[in-house]
Amino acid sequence: ELFTLGSVETMNEKAYQIGFGETVVGDPAHVFARLDEAREVTAEDVRRVSRSVLRPGRRSIVHVVPEGA
């Protein structure tokens, strides 16, 4: 499940997160642990994961050229 900090802004979204936590994890307050985990991610964490996932040999490059150019 995709989780973003924006996923707890409305009452409906909060209710969903509480229900998800209770149903899947067995803890309705699990969303707070997930918020804490998200806050602990550093720029270096993102760089490290990016380097392992976004490899030059595993990408597609699309060049878009306008008609008439």
Side-chain angles (χ1 to χ4, degrees):
E1 176 203 348
L2 178 62
F3 175 77
T4 63
L5 293 177
S7 67
V8 291
E9 289 182 353
T10 68
M11 290 304 290
N12 187 47
E13 293 163 343
K14 290 175 185 174
Y16 175 81
Q17 290 296 327
I18 291 168
F20 175 85
E22 176 61 31
T23 303
V24 177
V25 184
D27 177 12
H30 182 67
V31 67
F32 299 110
R34 295 175 75 195
L35 282 170
D36 290 341
E37 291 169 358
R39 289 181 178 125
E40 292 175 4
V41 173
T42 66
E44 181 51 39
D45 292 331
V46 174
R47 282 190 286 275
R48 179 179 41 79
V49 172
S50 304
R51 284 191 295 266
S52 70
V53 175
L54 304 174
R55 297 181 189 159
R58 297 175 53 190
R59 66 181 176 191
S60 297
I61 299 174
V62 177
H63 296 277
V64 178
V65 181
E67 285 185 33

